[in-house]
Amino acid sequence: MLTFVAAIIFGLFLLIWSADRFIDGASNIARTMGISPLIVGMLIIGLGTSAPEMLVSAAAALQGNPGLGIGNAIGSNITNITLVLGVTAMFFVLPVHSRLLKKEIPLVLASAILAWLLMLDNYFSRMDSVILVCAMAGILYWMISSARRDRHTHDPLIDETLGELPEAMPFKQAIIWTIVGLLLLLVSSKLLVWGASSIASIMGITDLVIGLTIVAIGTSLPELAATISSARKGETDLAVGNIVGSNLFNTLAVLPIPALIQPLEIPEGVLDRDIWVMLGLTVVLLLFSYGCFKNARYKITKLNGLVLFLAFIAYEALLYFKTIQ
């Protein structure tokens, strides 16, 4: 058991570190090739921060544990809203100024509803996955087009995103870090999945629950660090944008991966529990972001943060009691 726990801890550490190196390298390669900083910031870094979840889901499906991959995607969305955003908002009020972000938040709910509708037949096919991936491509195109139109109006989200671009490095070094980061992402994701699925087997719990808890919380740690860091700098639109962007990628790019590799039946518990929790929390995120009261318009307050964090504790407790039954 200790070996598997060590594999999870080391795998998570290596996963987070290698994702950062991959982002640094890929971003610098893109800039050297003349790709605009706006696209680097919104697309390449966005994909890079979701790389841990993507690689874990792919590794889980290839190793015969697709439930872990689905649990990772849904669990990461739940964790991002309740733990990451909740903890951050408990210490920092998070005003939402960006026009682009205000348009993106409803898309998170729309993408979650689309995923739920595609899974209603209790089967996740390759066509279902293709539909989600196409929706992701369409949203990315819209986001970049909107950002280009608004870049001269100094939208806070665009300005803050450009301000967080990785430091420049020599082209040769960027290539090395991109390759090293990608290889270590592959190794660490396989190590993490091996440790997590082995613990699930020993303890007699499902891969889905491991994906919803240990793996989802672990792969959300980079978002927690990035969100708190952004909030401390006063970059509140970027703090909320980290969560919104991550949840969009998780729903439309991470969730489809297991079914793209191997179509599967939806694991028990997803349709009657987890997807509803994800949908409900996404509605709460929308309400909190837009403001339920006049004096809290377009801001996530400390009280909102406490509510979200308590929801995290309640959901983890629910999973625990369901597991020991």
Side-chain angles (χ1 to χ4, degrees), residues 149-185:
R149 285 196 303 269
D150 295 343
R151 62 183 167 182
H152 299 301
T153 61
H154 299 290
D155 186 286
L157 179 62
I158 299 171
D159 294 341
E160 291 168 12
T161 298
L162 292 175
E164 291 296 314
L165 290 176
E167 291 183 9
M169 65 175 67
F171 185 63
K172 187 180 291 186
Q173 184 182 352
I175 292 175
I176 292 172
W177 276 127
T178 302
I179 295 171
V180 169
L182 183 57
L183 289 175
L184 290 179
L185 275 169

mmCIF file of all heavy atoms in Angstrom, residues 149-185:
data_model
loop_
_atom_site.group_PDB
_atom_site.id
_atom_site.type_symbol
_atom_site.label_atom_id
_atom_site.label_comp_id
_atom_site.label_asym_id
_atom_site.label_seq_id
_atom_site.Cartn_x
_atom_site.Cartn_y
_atom_site.Cartn_z
ATOM 1 N N ARG A 149 -10.959 41.308 -30.895
ATOM 2 C CA ARG A 149 -11.800 42.496 -31.089
ATOM 3 C C ARG A 149 -11.696 43.448 -29.906
ATOM 4 O O ARG A 149 -11.768 44.658 -30.067
ATOM 5 C CB ARG A 149 -13.267 42.076 -31.286
ATOM 6 C CG ARG A 149 -13.571 41.477 -32.648
ATOM 7 C CD ARG A 149 -15.072 41.452 -32.892
ATOM 8 N NE ARG A 149 -15.785 40.726 -31.856
ATOM 9 C CZ ARG A 149 -16.057 39.418 -31.918
ATOM 10 N NH1 ARG A 149 -15.641 38.699 -32.955
ATOM 11 N NH2 ARG A 149 -16.709 38.822 -30.951
ATOM 12 N N ASP A 150 -11.545 42.852 -28.675
ATOM 13 C CA ASP A 150 -11.582 43.667 -27.463
ATOM 14 C C ASP A 150 -10.207 44.075 -26.951
ATOM 15 O O ASP A 150 -10.111 44.747 -25.923
ATOM 16 C CB ASP A 150 -12.298 42.899 -26.331
ATOM 17 C CG ASP A 150 -13.761 42.652 -26.649
ATOM 18 O OD1 ASP A 150 -14.283 43.322 -27.553
ATOM 19 O OD2 ASP A 150 -14.373 41.781 -26.009
ATOM 20 N N ARG A 151 -9.117 43.672 -27.653
ATOM 21 C CA ARG A 151 -7.788 43.905 -27.076
ATOM 22 C C ARG A 151 -7.450 45.393 -26.968
ATOM 23 O O ARG A 151 -6.627 45.776 -26.135
ATOM 24 C CB ARG A 151 -6.720 43.182 -27.900
ATOM 25 C CG ARG A 151 -6.579 43.632 -29.331
ATOM 26 C CD ARG A 151 -5.544 42.790 -30.047
ATOM 27 N NE ARG A 151 -5.599 42.998 -31.488
ATOM 28 C CZ ARG A 151 -4.828 42.349 -32.352
ATOM 29 N NH1 ARG A 151 -3.963 41.469 -31.905
ATOM 30 N NH2 ARG A 151 -4.931 42.569 -33.642
ATOM 31 N N HIS A 152 -8.076 46.231 -27.797
ATOM 32 C CA HIS A 152 -7.787 47.665 -27.735
ATOM 33 C C HIS A 152 -8.662 48.374 -26.700
ATOM 34 O O HIS A 152 -8.473 49.564 -26.441
ATOM 35 C CB HIS A 152 -7.980 48.305 -29.104
ATOM 36 C CG HIS A 152 -7.061 47.738 -30.157
ATOM 37 N ND1 HIS A 152 -5.687 47.783 -30.041
ATOM 38 C CD2 HIS A 152 -7.322 47.096 -31.333
ATOM 39 C CE1 HIS A 152 -5.130 47.206 -31.105
ATOM 40 N NE2 HIS A 152 -6.097 46.784 -31.896
ATOM 41 N N THR A 153 -9.627 47.659 -26.128
ATOM 42 C CA THR A 153 -10.490 48.247 -25.106
ATOM 43 C C THR A 153 -9.993 47.917 -23.703
ATOM 44 O O THR A 153 -10.638 48.250 -22.722
ATOM 45 C CB THR A 153 -11.940 47.742 -25.268
ATOM 46 O OG1 THR A 153 -11.960 46.309 -25.109
ATOM 47 C CG2 THR A 153 -12.483 48.095 -26.643
ATOM 48 N N HIS A 154 -8.856 47.218 -23.630
ATOM 49 C CA HIS A 154 -8.231 46.876 -22.345
ATOM 50 C C HIS A 154 -9.174 46.087 -21.443
ATOM 51 O O HIS A 154 -9.404 46.458 -20.283
ATOM 52 C CB HIS A 154 -7.744 48.139 -21.622
ATOM 53 C CG HIS A 154 -6.712 48.886 -22.411
ATOM 54 N ND1 HIS A 154 -5.429 48.400 -22.604
ATOM 55 C CD2 HIS A 154 -6.762 50.070 -23.068
ATOM 56 C CE1 HIS A 154 -4.745 49.255 -23.340
ATOM 57 N NE2 HIS A 154 -5.524 50.277 -23.645
ATOM 58 N N ASP A 155 -9.683 44.987 -21.964
ATOM 59 C CA ASP A 155 -10.469 44.081 -21.137
ATOM 60 C C ASP A 155 -9.547 43.518 -20.054
ATOM 61 O O ASP A 155 -8.458 43.025 -20.346
ATOM 62 C CB ASP A 155 -11.033 42.947 -22.002
ATOM 63 C CG ASP A 155 -11.984 42.044 -21.229
ATOM 64 O OD1 ASP A 155 -11.486 41.247 -20.406
ATOM 65 O OD2 ASP A 155 -13.193 42.132 -21.449
ATOM 66 N N PRO A 156 -9.959 43.563 -18.760
ATOM 67 C CA PRO A 156 -9.070 43.134 -17.675
ATOM 68 C C PRO A 156 -8.554 41.702 -17.829
ATOM 69 O O PRO A 156 -7.386 41.437 -17.537
ATOM 70 C CB PRO A 156 -9.946 43.264 -16.422
ATOM 71 C CG PRO A 156 -10.966 44.282 -16.779
ATOM 72 C CD PRO A 156 -11.225 44.094 -18.244
ATOM 73 N N LEU A 157 -9.396 40.787 -18.287
ATOM 74 C CA LEU A 157 -8.965 39.396 -18.419
ATOM 75 C C LEU A 157 -7.849 39.269 -19.445
ATOM 76 O O LEU A 157 -6.868 38.543 -19.225
ATOM 77 C CB LEU A 157 -10.146 38.505 -18.816
ATOM 78 C CG LEU A 157 -9.821 37.015 -19.001
ATOM 79 C CD1 LEU A 157 -9.310 36.409 -17.702
ATOM 80 C CD2 LEU A 157 -11.044 36.242 -19.493
ATOM 81 N N ILE A 158 -7.976 39.978 -20.566
ATOM 82 C CA ILE A 158 -6.956 39.918 -21.616
ATOM 83 C C ILE A 158 -5.646 40.527 -21.107
ATOM 84 O O ILE A 158 -4.568 39.944 -21.265
ATOM 85 C CB ILE A 158 -7.435 40.653 -22.882
ATOM 86 C CG1 ILE A 158 -8.700 39.981 -23.428
ATOM 87 C CG2 ILE A 158 -6.345 40.661 -23.943
ATOM 88 C CD1 ILE A 158 -9.374 40.760 -24.536
ATOM 89 N N ASP A 159 -5.740 41.691 -20.454
ATOM 90 C CA ASP A 159 -4.536 42.350 -19.940
ATOM 91 C C ASP A 159 -3.831 41.490 -18.899
ATOM 92 O O ASP A 159 -2.603 41.362 -18.908
ATOM 93 C CB ASP A 159 -4.902 43.707 -19.323
ATOM 94 C CG ASP A 159 -5.408 44.700 -20.368
ATOM 95 O OD1 ASP A 159 -5.147 44.479 -21.568
ATOM 96 O OD2 ASP A 159 -6.065 45.685 -19.984
ATOM 97 N N GLU A 160 -4.611 40.893 -18.001
ATOM 98 C CA GLU A 160 -4.011 40.072 -16.949
ATOM 99 C C GLU A 160 -3.421 38.782 -17.511
ATOM 100 O O GLU A 160 -2.377 38.307 -17.035
ATOM 101 C CB GLU A 160 -5.061 39.762 -15.874
ATOM 102 C CG GLU A 160 -5.456 40.993 -15.060
ATOM 103 C CD GLU A 160 -6.692 40.778 -14.207
ATOM 104 O OE1 GLU A 160 -7.119 39.614 -14.055
ATOM 105 O OE2 GLU A 160 -7.230 41.775 -13.675
ATOM 106 N N THR A 161 -4.059 38.211 -18.538
ATOM 107 C CA THR A 161 -3.536 36.999 -19.171
ATOM 108 C C THR A 161 -2.196 37.282 -19.847
ATOM 109 O O THR A 161 -1.241 36.513 -19.709
ATOM 110 C CB THR A 161 -4.540 36.461 -20.216
ATOM 111 O OG1 THR A 161 -5.764 36.118 -19.561
ATOM 112 C CG2 THR A 161 -3.989 35.213 -20.906
ATOM 113 N N LEU A 162 -2.123 38.391 -20.573
ATOM 114 C CA LEU A 162 -0.873 38.751 -21.244
ATOM 115 C C LEU A 162 0.233 39.034 -20.236
ATOM 116 O O LEU A 162 1.411 38.752 -20.482
ATOM 117 C CB LEU A 162 -1.097 39.979 -22.134
ATOM 118 C CG LEU A 162 -2.008 39.770 -23.360
ATOM 119 C CD1 LEU A 162 -2.247 41.080 -24.079
ATOM 120 C CD2 LEU A 162 -1.420 38.737 -24.308
ATOM 121 N N GLY A 163 -0.147 39.557 -19.075
ATOM 122 C CA GLY A 163 0.844 39.867 -18.047
ATOM 123 C C GLY A 163 1.429 38.642 -17.380
ATOM 124 O O GLY A 163 2.468 38.727 -16.713
ATOM 125 N N GLU A 164 0.777 37.489 -17.530
ATOM 126 C CA GLU A 164 1.237 36.258 -16.892
ATOM 127 C C GLU A 164 1.990 35.334 -17.843
ATOM 128 O O GLU A 164 2.245 34.176 -17.499
ATOM 129 C CB GLU A 164 0.037 35.507 -16.296
ATOM 130 C CG GLU A 164 -0.600 36.199 -15.106
ATOM 131 C CD GLU A 164 0.342 36.308 -13.919
ATOM 132 O OE1 GLU A 164 0.991 35.313 -13.577
ATOM 133 O OE2 GLU A 164 0.444 37.419 -13.351
ATOM 134 N N LEU A 165 2.325 35.798 -19.042
ATOM 135 C CA LEU A 165 3.067 34.949 -19.982
ATOM 136 C C LEU A 165 4.419 34.560 -19.394
ATOM 137 O O LEU A 165 5.060 35.357 -18.710
ATOM 138 C CB LEU A 165 3.279 35.691 -21.303
ATOM 139 C CG LEU A 165 2.040 35.912 -22.182
ATOM 140 C CD1 LEU A 165 2.410 36.745 -23.401
ATOM 141 C CD2 LEU A 165 1.441 34.581 -22.620
ATOM 142 N N PRO A 166 4.878 33.320 -19.634
ATOM 143 C CA PRO A 166 6.180 32.885 -19.109
ATOM 144 C C PRO A 166 7.313 33.759 -19.619
ATOM 145 O O PRO A 166 7.223 34.365 -20.695
ATOM 146 C CB PRO A 166 6.314 31.454 -19.643
ATOM 147 C CG PRO A 166 4.933 31.018 -19.960
ATOM 148 C CD PRO A 166 4.193 32.260 -20.381
ATOM 149 N N GLU A 167 8.395 33.817 -18.840
ATOM 150 C CA GLU A 167 9.560 34.596 -19.244
ATOM 151 C C GLU A 167 10.187 33.999 -20.505
ATOM 152 O O GLU A 167 10.143 32.784 -20.723
ATOM 153 C CB GLU A 167 10.594 34.614 -18.117
ATOM 154 C CG GLU A 167 10.144 35.404 -16.902
ATOM 155 C CD GLU A 167 11.230 35.465 -15.841
ATOM 156 O OE1 GLU A 167 12.372 35.037 -16.134
ATOM 157 O OE2 GLU A 167 10.939 35.941 -14.736
ATOM 158 N N ALA A 168 10.770 34.874 -21.309
ATOM 159 C CA ALA A 168 11.398 34.430 -22.557
ATOM 160 C C ALA A 168 12.621 33.568 -22.261
ATOM 161 O O ALA A 168 13.307 33.757 -21.254
ATOM 162 C CB ALA A 168 11.788 35.641 -23.395
ATOM 163 N N MET A 169 12.883 32.596 -23.152
ATOM 164 C CA MET A 169 14.061 31.747 -23.035
ATOM 165 C C MET A 169 14.589 31.446 -24.438
ATOM 166 O O MET A 169 13.841 31.578 -25.425
ATOM 167 C CB MET A 169 13.734 30.441 -22.296
ATOM 168 C CG MET A 169 12.761 29.529 -23.022
ATOM 169 S SD MET A 169 12.502 27.936 -22.199
ATOM 170 C CE MET A 169 11.651 28.432 -20.689
ATOM 171 N N PRO A 170 15.850 31.045 -24.587
ATOM 172 C CA PRO A 170 16.389 30.706 -25.909
ATOM 173 C C PRO A 170 15.581 29.592 -26.571
ATOM 174 O O PRO A 170 15.036 28.707 -25.895
ATOM 175 C CB PRO A 170 17.820 30.247 -25.596
ATOM 176 C CG PRO A 170 18.147 30.883 -24.287
ATOM 177 C CD PRO A 170 16.856 30.952 -23.531
ATOM 178 N N PHE A 171 15.525 29.632 -27.908
ATOM 179 C CA PHE A 171 14.706 28.684 -28.665
ATOM 180 C C PHE A 171 15.116 27.233 -28.385
ATOM 181 O O PHE A 171 14.261 26.367 -28.203
ATOM 182 C CB PHE A 171 14.820 28.987 -30.160
ATOM 183 C CG PHE A 171 13.918 28.146 -31.018
ATOM 184 C CD1 PHE A 171 12.534 28.228 -30.900
ATOM 185 C CD2 PHE A 171 14.445 27.253 -31.956
ATOM 186 C CE1 PHE A 171 11.688 27.456 -31.684
ATOM 187 C CE2 PHE A 171 13.608 26.476 -32.732
ATOM 188 C CZ PHE A 171 12.237 26.584 -32.601
ATOM 189 N N LYS A 172 16.426 26.979 -28.349
ATOM 190 C CA LYS A 172 16.901 25.609 -28.102
ATOM 191 C C LYS A 172 16.462 25.117 -26.723
ATOM 192 O O LYS A 172 16.019 23.983 -26.562
ATOM 193 C CB LYS A 172 18.420 25.548 -28.224
ATOM 194 C CG LYS A 172 18.994 24.133 -28.154
ATOM 195 C CD LYS A 172 20.506 24.124 -28.275
ATOM 196 C CE LYS A 172 20.941 24.531 -29.679
ATOM 197 N NZ LYS A 172 22.417 24.385 -29.860
ATOM 198 N N GLN A 173 16.541 25.985 -25.740
ATOM 199 C CA GLN A 173 16.108 25.627 -24.389
ATOM 200 C C GLN A 173 14.607 25.379 -24.343
ATOM 201 O O GLN A 173 14.136 24.468 -23.654
ATOM 202 C CB GLN A 173 16.485 26.740 -23.408
ATOM 203 C CG GLN A 173 16.171 26.423 -21.949
ATOM 204 C CD GLN A 173 16.521 27.577 -21.024
ATOM 205 O OE1 GLN A 173 17.128 28.563 -21.438
ATOM 206 N NE2 GLN A 173 16.142 27.465 -19.762
ATOM 207 N N ALA A 174 13.848 26.178 -25.094
ATOM 208 C CA ALA A 174 12.395 26.000 -25.142
ATOM 209 C C ALA A 174 12.029 24.635 -25.725
ATOM 210 O O ALA A 174 11.113 23.958 -25.228
ATOM 211 C CB ALA A 174 11.756 27.114 -25.972
ATOM 212 N N ILE A 175 12.738 24.208 -26.770
ATOM 213 C CA ILE A 175 12.489 22.890 -27.372
ATOM 214 C C ILE A 175 12.776 21.782 -26.364
ATOM 215 O O ILE A 175 11.993 20.829 -26.219
ATOM 216 C CB ILE A 175 13.342 22.700 -28.647
ATOM 217 C CG1 ILE A 175 12.854 23.644 -29.747
ATOM 218 C CG2 ILE A 175 13.280 21.251 -29.135
ATOM 219 C CD1 ILE A 175 13.701 23.614 -31.002
ATOM 220 N N ILE A 176 13.905 21.914 -25.658
ATOM 221 C CA ILE A 176 14.282 20.892 -24.671
ATOM 222 C C ILE A 176 13.226 20.775 -23.584
ATOM 223 O O ILE A 176 12.778 19.668 -23.247
ATOM 224 C CB ILE A 176 15.662 21.220 -24.063
ATOM 225 C CG1 ILE A 176 16.757 21.064 -25.114
ATOM 226 C CG2 ILE A 176 15.943 20.314 -22.855
ATOM 227 C CD1 ILE A 176 18.115 21.558 -24.659
ATOM 228 N N TRP A 177 12.785 21.930 -23.032
ATOM 229 C CA TRP A 177 11.793 21.886 -21.960
ATOM 230 C C TRP A 177 10.444 21.360 -22.453
ATOM 231 O O TRP A 177 9.734 20.675 -21.709
ATOM 232 C CB TRP A 177 11.620 23.265 -21.339
ATOM 233 C CG TRP A 177 12.633 23.600 -20.285
ATOM 234 C CD1 TRP A 177 13.419 24.707 -20.239
ATOM 235 C CD2 TRP A 177 12.985 22.818 -19.147
ATOM 236 N NE1 TRP A 177 14.244 24.668 -19.133
ATOM 237 C CE2 TRP A 177 13.993 23.516 -18.441
ATOM 238 C CE3 TRP A 177 12.556 21.587 -18.644
ATOM 239 C CZ2 TRP A 177 14.568 23.036 -17.268
ATOM 240 C CZ3 TRP A 177 13.130 21.100 -17.468
ATOM 241 C CH2 TRP A 177 14.122 21.819 -16.805
ATOM 242 N N THR A 178 10.079 21.668 -23.674
ATOM 243 C CA THR A 178 8.817 21.150 -24.228
ATOM 244 C C THR A 178 8.857 19.630 -24.323
ATOM 245 O O THR A 178 7.907 18.944 -23.906
ATOM 246 C CB THR A 178 8.550 21.752 -25.619
ATOM 247 O OG1 THR A 178 8.512 23.179 -25.519
ATOM 248 C CG2 THR A 178 7.219 21.256 -26.171
ATOM 249 N N ILE A 179 9.948 19.101 -24.837
ATOM 250 C CA ILE A 179 10.078 17.642 -24.983
ATOM 251 C C ILE A 179 10.160 16.966 -23.621
ATOM 252 O O ILE A 179 9.459 15.969 -23.356
ATOM 253 C CB ILE A 179 11.325 17.297 -25.835
ATOM 254 C CG1 ILE A 179 11.143 17.808 -27.267
ATOM 255 C CG2 ILE A 179 11.573 15.786 -25.839
ATOM 256 C CD1 ILE A 179 12.390 17.702 -28.119
ATOM 257 N N VAL A 180 11.016 17.520 -22.735
ATOM 258 C CA VAL A 180 11.154 16.943 -21.392
ATOM 259 C C VAL A 180 9.827 16.999 -20.645
ATOM 260 O O VAL A 180 9.403 16.023 -20.009
ATOM 261 C CB VAL A 180 12.250 17.685 -20.599
ATOM 262 C CG1 VAL A 180 12.226 17.279 -19.123
ATOM 263 C CG2 VAL A 180 13.622 17.396 -21.186
ATOM 264 N N GLY A 181 9.154 18.155 -20.723
ATOM 265 C CA GLY A 181 7.869 18.302 -20.040
ATOM 266 C C GLY A 181 6.842 17.306 -20.532
ATOM 267 O O GLY A 181 6.128 16.688 -19.738
ATOM 268 N N LEU A 182 6.763 17.112 -21.858
ATOM 269 C CA LEU A 182 5.787 16.189 -22.424
ATOM 270 C C LEU A 182 6.091 14.748 -22.017
ATOM 271 O O LEU A 182 5.184 13.988 -21.634
ATOM 272 C CB LEU A 182 5.775 16.315 -23.947
ATOM 273 C CG LEU A 182 4.740 15.466 -24.693
ATOM 274 C CD1 LEU A 182 3.332 15.773 -24.204
ATOM 275 C CD2 LEU A 182 4.839 15.700 -26.201
ATOM 276 N N LEU A 183 7.370 14.359 -22.086
ATOM 277 C CA LEU A 183 7.749 12.986 -21.708
ATOM 278 C C LEU A 183 7.449 12.713 -20.235
ATOM 279 O O LEU A 183 6.911 11.649 -19.886
ATOM 280 C CB LEU A 183 9.234 12.761 -21.996
ATOM 281 C CG LEU A 183 9.639 12.672 -23.471
ATOM 282 C CD1 LEU A 183 11.149 12.570 -23.603
ATOM 283 C CD2 LEU A 183 8.965 11.480 -24.150
ATOM 284 N N LEU A 184 7.777 13.685 -19.381
ATOM 285 C CA LEU A 184 7.514 13.494 -17.954
ATOM 286 C C LEU A 184 6.024 13.531 -17.640
ATOM 287 O O LEU A 184 5.567 12.877 -16.695
ATOM 288 C CB LEU A 184 8.261 14.556 -17.135
ATOM 289 C CG LEU A 184 9.779 14.398 -17.103
ATOM 290 C CD1 LEU A 184 10.413 15.521 -16.280
ATOM 291 C CD2 LEU A 184 10.179 13.042 -16.526
ATOM 292 N N LEU A 185 5.249 14.286 -18.418
ATOM 293 C CA LEU A 185 3.792 14.248 -18.270
ATOM 294 C C LEU A 185 3.255 12.843 -18.539
ATOM 295 O O LEU A 185 2.389 12.338 -17.802
ATOM 296 C CB LEU A 185 3.124 15.247 -19.228
ATOM 297 C CG LEU A 185 2.997 16.697 -18.762
ATOM 298 C CD1 LEU A 185 2.569 17.587 -19.916
ATOM 299 C CD2 LEU A 185 1.995 16.806 -17.622
#
